[in-house]
C-alpha cells in the first residue's frame, strides 16, 4: 500500500501546485517567467534537501560515459509539457487542454510498461489490466471533462476557443501527455543510475530551469515581470509551487522503477483529480470556487475501480 499512498499523495500535491503557480502567474503575468520561478525554486529546494542528506550535487564522469544520453532529458520534457499546455489553451479550451495530455500519459505509460522501453521493467498488458485502464480513462473523462461539456452544451457554447480544425491541437495535447509519461520513466532510470531518486529529481529540475532561463531571454528579453510578485499584500505561499513540483518529480522518480510507469501515472492522476476536486470545492489557495457535482464523484469511483484492476491483476 505504500507505493499507492505515495502516488496518490504526490498527485494531490501536484493539484495544489497548479493552484499555487496559477496565483503566481496572475501576479507576474508572463507564464514563462512564472514557470522559471517555479523550476528555480524547485531546484534550490531539492539542492537543500540533498545537502541536508549529505548527497553530492555533482555527477561522476563515469555516469556520463556508461549511461545512455536520454537519461538527462527528463527536465527538457517537463518544460515541453508545460509550455505546450500554455499554447494549447487558446486553441482547444480549458477542458480539452486538461484531458488530452492525461489520455497521452495513461496510454504511453501502459505502452512503456508493456514493451519495457527505456530499460524499464516489462509488465505485459493483460486483458484484466486493459479493462482497468479503460475504466480509469472513463473515470478521468467523466470527472474532468463531462460536467463542463454538459454545462457548455446547455448554454449553447463550444469548448474550443477559436475557429478552425481543433484536431491537430488535440493530437498535440495527446503527444504532450506521452512526453510526460516518458519523463516519469526517464527520471526513474536516472534515479537508478545515480542510486538516488532525490539526485535524479534535482538533475531534472536543474535541466528544466536552465531551459526556461534561455526561453525567457528569447521570448521576454529579461526577467522584469518577476518583481510584480514581490511586495506587500502578496501571499507568501505563491513561492512554494517549485518545492511542491520537486516533491512530485521526486515521488515519480522513486515509484517508476518499483511499480512501473503506467501504475505510477495512474495513481498520481487519481491523486491529482481528487486534489483538484478539493481545490474546486473549497476554493483553496485563491482558486475560484466551483462546487463538485455528483457526476464527478461517480467518475472518481469508476477511476478507483480501474486503478484496483490495474494494481491487483
Amino acid at each position: 500500500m505504500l507505493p499507492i499512498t505515495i502516488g496518490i499523495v504526490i498527485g494531490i500535491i501536484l493539484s495544489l501546485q497548479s493552484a499555487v503557480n496559477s496565483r503566481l502567474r496572475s501576479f507576474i503575468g508572463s507564464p514563462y517567467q512564472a514557470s522559471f520561478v517555479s523550476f528555480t525554486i524547485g531546484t534550490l529546494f531539492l539542492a537543500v534537501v540533498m545537502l541536508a542528506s549529505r548527497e553530492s550535487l555533482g555527477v561522476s564522469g563515469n555516469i556520463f560515459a556508461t549511461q545512455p544520453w536520454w537519461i538527462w532529458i527528463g527536465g527538457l520534457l517537463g518544460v515541453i509539457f508545460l509550455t505546450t499546455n500554455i499554447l494549447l489553451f487558446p486553441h482547444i479550451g480549458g477542458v480539452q487542454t486538461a484531458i488530452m495530455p492525461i489520455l497521452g500519459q495513461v496510454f504511453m505509460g501502459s505502452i512503456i510498461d508493456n514493451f519495457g522501453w527505456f530499460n524499464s521493467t516489462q509488465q505485459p498488458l493483460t486483458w484484466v489490466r486493459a479493462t482497468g485502464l479503460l475504466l480509469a480513462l472513463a473515470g478521468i473523462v467523466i470527472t474532468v471533462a463531462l460536467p463542463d461539456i454538459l454545462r457548455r452544451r446547455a448554454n449553447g457554447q463550444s469548448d474550443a476557443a477559436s475557429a478552425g480544425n481543433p484536431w491537430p491541437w488535440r493530437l498535440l495535447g495527446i503527444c504532450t501527455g506521452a512526453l510526460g509519461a516518458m519523463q516519469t520513466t526517464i527520471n526513474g532510470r536516472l534515479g537508478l543510475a545515480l542510486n538516488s531518486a532525490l539526485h535524479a529529481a534535482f538533475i531534472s529540475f536543474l535541466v528544466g530551469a536552465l531551459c526556461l532561463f534561455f526561453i525567457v531571454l528569447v521570448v521576454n528579453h529579461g526577467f522584469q515581470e518577476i518583481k510584480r510578485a514581490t511586495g506587500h499584500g502578496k501571499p507568501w505561499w505563491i513561492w512554494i509551487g517549485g518545492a511542491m513540483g520537486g516533491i512530485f518529480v521526486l515521488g515519480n522518480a522513486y515509484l517508476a522503477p518499483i511499480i512501473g510507469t503506467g501504475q505510477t501515472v495512474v495513481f498520481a492522476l487519481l491523486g491529482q483529480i481528487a486534489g483538484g476536486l478539493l481545490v474546486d470545492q473549497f476554493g483553496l489557495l485563491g482558486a475560484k470556487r466551483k462546487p463538485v457535482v455528483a457526476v464527478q464523484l461517480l467518475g472518481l469511483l469508476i477511476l478507483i475501480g480501474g486503478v484496483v484492476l490495474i494494481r491487483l491483476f
Side-chain angles (χ1 to χ4, degrees):
M1 292 298 294
L2 181 60
I4 298 176
T5 303
I6 293 174
I8 294 174
V9 168
I10 63 174
I12 293 174
I13 289 173
L14 184 64
S15 65
L16 296 177
Q17 185 210 19
S18 297
V20 170
N21 284 345
S22 177
R23 190 63 184 275
L24 175 65
R25 188 172 301 166
S26 71
F27 288 119
I28 293 179
S30 166
Y32 301 103
Q33 293 188 45
S35 299
F36 172 73
V37 169
S38 182
F39 264 81
T40 301
I41 291 177
T43 303
L44 295 174
F45 166 76
L46 291 169
V48 170
V49 175
M50 286 187 66
L51 292 175
S53 304
R54 297 184 178 180
E55 289 195 35
S56 172
L57 299 179
V59 178
S60 169
N62 184 57
I63 299 294
F64 287 102
T66 59
Q67 296 297 323
W69 62 270
W70 47 259
I71 67 170
W72 308 105
I73 66 171
L76 175 60
L77 295 180
V79 170
I80 295 174
F81 181 88
L82 174 70
T83 305
T84 305
N85 276 356
I86 295 171
L87 298 174
L88 288 177
F89 187 85
H91 293 279
I92 60 175
V95 174
Q96 294 185 50
T97 297
I99 200 68
M100 294 303 166
I102 287 177
L103 294 176
Q105 281 182 280
V106 174
F107 276 118
M108 179 56 75
S110 298
I111 292 172
I112 290 172
D113 283 348
N114 186 68
F115 295 103
W117 289 353
F118 301 109
N119 296 337
S120 62
T121 301
Q122 189 171 5
Q123 299 184 20
L125 185 63
T126 63
W127 283 108
V128 176
R129 292 186 65 197
T131 301
L133 178 62
L134 292 176
L135 281 176
L137 289 172
I140 290 168
V141 172
I142 291 171
T143 305
V144 176
L146 187 58
D148 202 50
I149 291 173
L150 294 176
R151 178 182 62 81
R152 288 178 177 275
R153 287 186 176 179
N155 295 332
Q157 298 174 335
S158 173
D159 183 58
S162 64
N165 183 8
W167 274 107
W169 295 101
R170 291 169 177 166
L171 293 175
L172 179 60
I174 293 173
C175 292
T176 299
L179 292 181
M182 290 169 61
Q183 180 196 23
T184 297
T185 310
I186 288 170
N187 284 345
R189 179 72 178 118
L190 179 61
L192 291 177
L194 298 173
N195 198 30
S196 170
L198 176 58
H199 200 171
F202 168 74
I203 294 295
S204 180
F205 258 74
L206 178 61
V207 171
L210 291 174
C211 290
L212 280 165
F213 176 81
F214 291 107
I215 289 174
V216 170
L217 286 180
V218 172
V219 176
N220 299 132
H221 308 292
F223 302 83
Q224 298 85 354
E225 284 82 357
I226 293 176
K227 295 186 298 183
R228 299 173 182 171
T230 62
H232 182 70
K234 308 297 191 303
W236 62 269
W237 45 262
I238 63 175
W239 301 99
I240 67 173
M244 291 178 166
I247 294 172
F248 177 77
V249 173
L250 172 60
N252 274 323
Y254 170 75
L255 289 178
I258 298 175
I259 61 174
T261 303
Q263 295 187 49
T264 299
V265 167
V266 169
F267 292 139
L269 287 175
L270 174 58
Q272 186 178 346
I273 291 173
L277 293 179
L278 291 175
V279 170
D280 285 349
Q281 175 67 28
F282 299 105
L284 301 178
L285 300 170
K288 182 179 179 180
R289 189 173 182 273
K290 294 185 290 185
V292 176
V293 296
V295 69
Q296 290 177 299
L297 297 179
L298 173 63
L300 191 59
L301 289 176
I302 294 174
L303 173 57
I304 291 173
V307 168
V308 169
L309 289 180
I310 293 170
R311 183 66 184 95
L312 297 183
F313 301 94

